[in-house]
Amino acid sequence: MTSTRSRPAPADGPPAGAAARPDVVLDVEVDGHGALHFVLANLGDAPAHALRVAFSRSLRDLAGQRINDNPLFGGLEFLPQGRRVPLLVDTLAGYLRRRQPLRFEVRLAWQDDAGRVHKRRLTHDLAAWTQLRQAL
């Protein structure tokens, strides 16, 4: 009688038998100098295609431009696995001074290599970042 043993998945890939897939998020980062960035990132192990990002509220960057209209969020056709694309929004203090929304929702949609559509909804509340900066 022959036994079969499953091998563990490599540490840098999907579990054995699982298909590689993209996993896209829009994160918020505030660096040590107080600069506020929105970071579009593919955390998955496959490329993402036809990315679309929609914000629930109108947001403006330090130049007064609508972030919602940035081509990065409306027309990015390819985002490789592991790629992070930061977008400088403003300093956190400047963003607050201009009374930009602290709480907003982000809706993301993208396709995998097979053309399957994936979606994610995230809620960001920048009030947490303001409290963190005050504590430093």
Side-chain angles (χ1 to χ4, degrees):
M1 179 154 108
T2 306
S3 67
T4 57
R5 295 173 47 192
S6 61
R7 290 187 285 180
D12 59 345
R21 59 183 278 189
D23 185 17
V24 179
V25 298
L26 183 95
D27 197 8
V28 173
E29 290 183 358
V30 178
D31 69 19
H33 301 288
L36 171 64
H37 297 266
F38 290 169
V39 181
L40 187 61
N42 181 355
L43 306 176
D45 47 20
H49 305 273
L51 278 86
R52 300 298 178 261
V53 179
F55 295 88
S56 62
R57 307 199 49 195
S58 181
L59 306 171
R60 295 196 178 269
D61 65 17
L62 60 105
Q65 302 296 314
R66 274 178 35 96
I67 294 168
N68 313 52
D69 298 334
N70 188 302
L72 175 66
F73 301 132
L76 192 61
E77 294 302 322
F78 180 75
L79 186 63
Q81 60 271 29
R83 176 68 58 94
R84 298 175 73 251
V85 182
L87 174 72
L88 174 64
V89 174
D90 198 343
T91 62
L92 183 57
Y95 187 86
L96 295 171
R97 226 180 355 263
R98 291 183 301 102
R99 298 180 182 216
Q100 292 298 295
L102 292 181
R103 188 174 174 83
F104 55 90
E105 184 177 272
V106 180
R107 292 178 310 282
L108 300 112
W110 67 93
Q111 294 179 13
D112 60 22
D113 283 334
R116 289 182 296 264
V117 175
H118 303 270
K119 295 181 180 183
R120 169 171 283 143
R121 216 175 257 223
L122 300 169
T123 299
H124 288 290
D125 187 349
L126 301 184
W129 287 99
T130 64
Q131 293 170 6
L132 176 67
R133 294 294 300 164
Q134 292 169 359
L136 296 177

